[in-house]
Amino acid sequence: MSFVSTLRQWDEAVACVEQRDPASALRIFLNIEEKNSKIFFNIGCLYLNNSELDEAEKAFDRSIGKDEHLAAAFFQRGVTFYKKERFEESLLDFQQAFKQLRGNQLIDYKPLGLRYKLYACEVLHNIGLVQAQLGKWEKAQENLLTALSLRADAKFSHIDHALDAILKQKLFPLVEIRAGLLFKPNKHYVAELEKRDYLGKAKVVSSIVPADEFSGFAPLQPQVDNVPSTPKVPEVLRVFEGEPHTVLYEFYPETKEELAVLPGNIVFVLQKGADNWASVVFNEKRGLVPYNFLEPLDIVTMTSKPMQIEPLNENDDIPAPPRRAPPSRPVGTEGLKTVKAETNNIRDFSGCIVKVHFRFTIAVRIAHGQSYGIILQTISSKLKLPASALTLCYAKEGVEERVNLEESEMEAVWNSVKDNRLALWCSLTESKSVPHEKVVALYSYASSTPEDLDFEQGNIITVLSKVNDEWLEGQCNGKVGIFPSSFVKALNGDQQCE
């Protein structure tokens, strides 16, 4: 089953629940072939609302099997075990749900399609209830006191009532997710299920035929007499200077000197360097492309081969040309001019191509004979790093190790240039590396996987890299790992200097 079919059935089932038809919704959910953790969660909730506890338990088991970090599934399975009076298993699931909160006061599932917030205080409320069922009144009281301290606002008054009941060694009601709340599919994906007419109805803008109402892709053409018996052989187009090549692979430029090409494009190679880079012309633009991305092309075979036209037989039944005269030419269409393409404004590519090997490879163009300072400043601007933090070196002829680039070495460097190509190596100067950004922890964070970074509230963390919009990689207390960006904030300038 395709993703589109799954999405369509998912949306249809949710609509049935909103129309108070849970039986049809359950039937549609069960017919989905490729069910994810959210769909299994929805199935479990529907079974739980119908008091079919065994089926609900199986559905929540499969939901957790698909996503072992879905705290809401652990919470609902704990409710299922509680109603089946399997209190030990219910306690383990509520404790696992609390662990998945990772020290947060709540998890808002609205971005995932479920309009529900799972609060830590309510999970502790249920833990206390299960411990009371097991006769552990003191532990139940401790968990309710913790829940009271984590209470976000006054709407959780049932925690106060639960604490009063525990002091009297009485039970209290269980907190459950309200019936009818289910995970919904992404609304943007659902919107794409509807067919859209992107082209619309064609409309005639201009035609050589008066009162033309044709709405196809081309206007009606005038009819002429004396149609030639053989079509005209196409003329050979003028070719740019250089050897024609066809592009085999897609190439994205990383520098201003490189040129973007796509498979099937025809380019003209002006010069091929020893480092496997070729200077080419494409669409009146000139740039560098890897030569191994190209294949020589024989353009003569493409254009000079005449079309094979079979001779007409005199006995063939050819209809007579139309007798009516062609329509007159509309006023104002005389004197149309053909715009001639300008090909003489291709920019000059004089200079030496310098390939710099850093953590990644870049290419810059520098005029021959420039000083060390100009080369260093050009590379510094390209890498967006201070020049004082960079060290340049090159492979000197007759020397095994690379030699640091200095003003005294510039004459030897320029003498080593071959075919206007020069290779340099760049590294960060020791004790002058670029400082990383530092942030301060707003909350404590406990790792749940080996890749996570542990830290306490107020710790200073050095940010090493950005994983995505929600996670960062950093270093704290001698450890390196990833952590949520929402748990930290940037330091001000004075603290960064410290």
Side-chain angles (χ1 to χ4, degrees):
M1 179 179 289
S2 66
F3 173 72
V4 174
S5 300
T6 301
L7 199 66
R8 184 174 285 109
Q9 289 181 279
W10 187 356
D11 184 56
E12 183 180 353
V14 171
C16 289
V17 173
E18 293 176 349
Q19 295 170 6
R20 301 182 182 275
D21 188 6
S24 300
L26 183 58
R27 185 179 66 256
I28 296 172
F29 275 132
L30 293 175
N31 289 334
I32 298 177
E33 294 182 8
E34 298 180 4
K35 304 179 184 69
N36 55 28
S37 60
K38 298 177 184 177
I39 294 177
F40 278 122
F41 176 88
N42 292 349
I43 294 173
C45 289
L46 292 175
Y47 277 129
L48 183 60
N49 296 336
N50 292 337
S51 298
E52 300 179 45
L53 302 181
D54 292 336
E55 298 297 330
E57 178 186 348
K58 294 178 183 179
F60 290 129
D61 286 342
R62 301 189 69 178
S63 177
I64 294 171
K66 292 282 186 178
D67 184 0
E68 58 184 9
H69 299 292
L70 189 60
F74 283 106
F75 185 81
Q76 286 293 78
R77 193 173 69 173
V79 172
T80 305
F81 284 140
Y82 182 86
K83 292 186 176 182
K84 296 177 72 174
E85 297 184 358
R86 292 160 59 179
F87 299 122
E88 293 287 351
E89 295 169 274
S90 177
L91 178 61
L92 291 176
D93 272 350
F94 285 136
Q95 289 175 341
Q96 186 64 28
F98 184 76
K99 181 180 178 181
Q100 295 302 325
L101 284 162
R102 299 185 180 185
N104 297 307
Q105 288 190 352
L106 62 93
I107 296 178
D108 188 359
Y109 285 100
K110 184 177 180 181
L112 299 179
L114 178 65
R115 298 181 65 86
Y116 180 76
K117 296 179 181 179
L118 181 63
Y119 289 90
C121 60
E122 292 191 323
V123 178
L124 290 172
H125 173 279
N126 284 1
I127 292 175
L129 176 59
V130 178
Q131 288 173 335
Q133 287 281 11
L134 297 172
K136 302 176 182 178
W137 298 99
E138 293 183 358
K139 290 186 177 181
Q141 182 179 351
E142 291 177 3
N143 281 293
L144 287 173
L145 288 172
T146 306
L148 201 60
S149 64
L150 294 176
R151 185 173 59 179
D153 50 51
K155 72 177 181 178
F156 300 105
S157 58
H158 55 279
I159 298 178
D160 295 318
H161 299 315
L163 187 58
D164 293 338
I166 285 294
L167 295 177
K168 299 175 184 178
Q169 293 194 354
K170 293 182 180 181
L171 300 178
F172 45 89
L174 181 73
V175 173
E176 303 180 51
I177 296 179
R178 180 169 55 85
L181 290 180
L182 300 177
F183 277 106
K184 298 181 180 180
N186 190 303
K187 61 181 180 180
H188 299 293
Y189 293 160
V190 174
E192 293 297 327
L193 295 177
E194 300 179 3
K195 294 184 178 180
R196 299 182 181 181
D197 184 9
Y198 291 98
L199 295 179
K201 182 175 176 58
K203 180 181 179 181
V204 176
V205 177
S206 177
S207 174
I208 198 172
V209 180
D212 185 7
E213 296 181 355
F214 177 74
S215 60
F217 288 98
L220 293 176
Q221 302 297 323
Q223 299 178 358
V224 296
D225 296 327
N226 301 325
V227 180
S229 59
T230 58
K232 182 181 179 181
V233 178
E235 298 179 357
V236 178
L237 300 178
R238 184 179 64 85
V239 181
F240 282 102
E241 59 176 336
E243 296 296 327
H245 286 65
T246 183
V247 180
L248 300 176
Y249 311 104
E250 189 173 4
F251 176 69
Y252 288 102
E254 296 181 356
T255 65
K256 295 181 180 179
E257 289 77 20
E258 296 171 358
L259 192 63
V261 291
L262 296 174
N265 292 155
I266 296 178
V267 301
F268 297 91
V269 177
L270 303 179
Q271 184 181 9
K272 177 188 174 184
D275 57 353
N276 207 33
W277 286 84
S279 178
V280 304
V281 174
F282 175 65
N283 280 350
E284 302 183 9
K285 295 183 180 179
R286 200 166 185 175
L288 299 176
V289 173
Y291 188 77
N292 55 355
F293 280 41
L294 309 176
E295 182 181 49
L297 178 67
D298 186 7
I299 200 169
V300 176
T301 61
M302 297 176 55
T303 57
S304 62
K305 188 175 181 179
M307 296 179 61
Q308 299 294 332
I309 306 300
E310 296 182 359
L312 296 176
N313 192 346
E314 295 181 357
N315 297 325
D316 290 342
D317 188 12
I318 303 177
R323 298 178 178 179
R324 64 185 181 90
S328 60
R329 183 180 297 275
V331 179
T333 60
E334 297 291 337
L336 296 177
K337 297 181 179 180
T338 303
V339 180
K340 186 177 182 181
E342 294 293 333
T343 58
N344 298 327
N345 57 349
I346 301 177
R347 53 182 180 177
D348 186 15
F349 251 63
S350 61
C352 178
I353 298 175
V354 181
K355 184 178 290 186
V356 184
H357 300 282
F358 188 49
R359 294 170 182 166
F360 44 88
T361 302
I362 63 171
V364 295
R365 183 172 295 277
I366 301 176
H368 197 282
Q370 293 292 342
S371 64
Y372 167 71
I374 294 178
I375 295 177
L376 181 61
Q377 188 61 39
T378 303
I379 297 174
S380 169
S381 301
K382 188 72 175 179
L383 296 176
K384 297 181 180 180
L385 294 173
S388 60
L390 301 179
T391 299
L392 302 179
C393 56
Y394 76 106
K396 189 172 183 179
E397 188 174 358
V399 181
E400 295 183 359
E401 296 183 357
R402 300 190 186 105
V403 178
N404 286 345
L405 197 62
E406 298 176 351
E407 194 64 46
S408 58
E409 294 285 339
M410 292 311 301
E411 183 177 356
V413 170
W414 289 119
N415 290 335
S416 65
V417 173
K418 295 180 180 180
D419 298 329
N420 282 337
R421 300 291 191 276
L422 175 64
L424 298 179
W425 284 262
C426 178
S427 60
L428 291 175
T429 307
E430 296 182 2
S431 73
K432 291 184 179 181
S433 59
V434 179
H436 293 285
E437 180 186 3
K438 292 185 178 181
V439 296
V440 62
L442 297 176
Y443 317 102
S444 298
Y445 180 71
S447 62
S448 59
T449 63
E451 295 83 7
D452 289 354
L453 177 65
D454 288 319
F455 53 80
E456 300 293 334
Q457 182 179 0
N459 285 158
I460 303 300
I461 305 170
T462 302
V463 178
L464 302 180
S465 64
K466 180 179 179 182
V467 180
N468 53 40
D469 292 337
E470 298 179 357
W471 290 85
L472 301 173
E473 181 183 21
Q475 181 179 13
C476 181
N477 298 327
K479 297 181 180 179
V480 176
I482 62 174
F483 58 92
S485 58
S486 59
F487 276 56
V488 299
K489 72 172 184 177
L491 296 174
N492 55 38
D494 297 336
Q495 291 174 308
Q496 289 277 2
C497 296
E498 293 176 3

